Amino acid sequence: AAAGGQEQEPETSEGKKKEEDGLAAEARARNEDVYWGQQVWVQVARQLLILSREVYSNVAFNVFITVVIMHFINKALPSGSLVHMFLPTSVIFMTTSFAQSVAAQRLFGGDAVHVAWREASVSSLNQVLLTFIGKDIASLPEIVLSTAVVSLFYYPLSGAFASLADLYQVSFSFVYCCWGLNHFLATVCPGNGVAPLCAIVLGFISFLFSGLRPEGSVVCKLFNGYGSFVLLLSPVRWAMASWLFSHVTGAGTPYLNPAFQSHMGIFTERGFKLAGVDPPDVASGVVERWSDKRGWVFHDGQLFLLGFLFRCLAIVALLCSSSAKASGGELSLGATSITTSRLLRDCLVVFVFFVFVLNVFLLGQMY
């Protein structure tokens, strides 16, 4: 009996033992026991802990740089002049996007994307998706804090008839959209220094196509009407038009007086007719109004939707890159050969691109 007890059954397979004792089996068991809500909460708590340690070194520094730039812009282009009402607003939104790009790309840029690739190789793509959702939720406190400081500083300098709540609403939606764009850039351009450079270039492009020079009505009519796509993709355009609408319709504003409007030809020159502002013309879509030199934006819903679209692109890009790294450099998608896998990957990219373009044009049909 003792001899029989000393005998051990041979292992069925050495690979099976490694799989059971390895990190992959542990990760799969953990995913089965933990619900998706708990996984998201773990990512939120972890990111908030990191934020609490970086609040002075990164968050405060980015806000300080933005405030200093706002001060010098206000000195160079005083908002009290009608000639300088449009340019400083768009420049301030552009510089805000630069500062927020540095903060936003910490979540998925640099080493963070390599961490996501390792999680996909030892766990599953579901874990990568839940990590993205958790980090995005955890970024909201930083967005709220940055927007509050910038709004409190810029509001006394703006001299606008809009309220502080209007400025905070526009700024929050603009920063939310910029963070979504930078999430996408960080996942598509994981190389060192590539994503920040792309963020600066896209910030300048967003400023150039804000609809001031050239006018929004001219850009909308280019390429048989498809030129409006670049305006619809510009967060600076949406934020500037929304802030100007809050300004001309704020409490105590003289712009609604018909006698005063007859002397405000500069608004028409910039593509912002004062006719149809009060009450807002909600019967026509955004692109239709912009083509008729009525460049106003009546609410900030389009900025939130544009930021959500950028986040959807970032999720798809992150899942594709994580799947490719987990499968040895190729996006498998259940394909049996490398050629089929590449074909499916290209079809997925084309499909996602056209769905994104369709949704951007749908933003132009909203009021």
Side-chain angles (χ1 to χ4, degrees), residues 64-101:
F64 175 75
I65 293 298
T66 306
V67 167
V68 171
I69 294 176
M70 283 184 179
H71 175 73
F72 285 107
I73 292 175
N74 183 75
K75 292 295 183 181
L77 302 173
S79 302
S81 174
L82 288 177
V83 180
H84 294 155
M85 179 184 299
F86 303 92
L87 183 59
T89 303
S90 57
V91 171
I92 285 175
F93 281 122
M94 180 186 66
T95 54
T96 303
S97 69
F98 292 160
Q100 294 302 317
S101 65

Side-chain angles (χ1 to χ4, degrees), residues 15 18 31 156 219-220:
K18 291 182 178 180
N31 289 336
V219 178
C220 286

Side-chain angles (χ1 to χ4, degrees), residues 104-118:
Q105 291 184 12
R106 297 197 318 269
L107 294 182
F108 302 101
D111 296 334
V113 67
H114 297 284
V115 173
W117 292 344
R118 289 196 298 268

Side-chain angles (χ1 to χ4, degrees), residues 12 27 32 41 46 55 103 130 136 142-143 166 168 171 224 246 259 312 327 330 332 346 351 360-361:
T12 58
E32 293 177 356
W41 174 248
R46 183 174 68 176
V55 66
L130 296 176
D136 187 52
E142 185 174 353
I143 296 176
D166 293 331
Y168 183 84
S171 301
N224 294 326
S246 301
C312 291
S327 59
E330 294 293 337
S332 58
D346 295 339
F351 174 76
V360 171
F361 276 113

Side-chain angles (χ1 to χ4, degrees), residues 16 48-49 125 138 159-160 200 260 272 276 288-289 296 306-307 348:
K16 182 178 180 180
L48 289 178
L49 178 61
L125 293 180
I200 294 175
F260 190 82
F272 292 89
E288 182 180 352
R289 294 198 309 269
W296 311 104
L306 186 60
L348 177 62

Side-chain angles (χ1 to χ4, degrees), residues 134-157:
K135 287 186 175 182
D136 187 52
I137 294 175
S139 67
L140 292 178
E142 185 174 353
I143 296 176
V144 170
L145 177 62
S146 302
T147 305
V149 175
V150 171
S151 300
L152 289 173
F153 181 83
Y154 178 65
Y155 182 73
L157 303 177

Side-chain angles (χ1 to χ4, degrees), residues 2 42 100 137 182 220 318 320 334-335 350:
V42 168
Q100 294 302 317
I137 294 175
N182 283 277
C220 286
L318 183 61
C320 290
V350 172

Side-chain angles (χ1 to χ4, degrees), residues 209 211 214-223 225-231:
F209 289 100
E215 297 179 14
S217 59
V218 176
V219 178
C220 286
K221 296 176 183 178
L222 295 176
F223 308 108
Y226 290 101
S228 60
F229 182 75
V230 292
L231 293 179

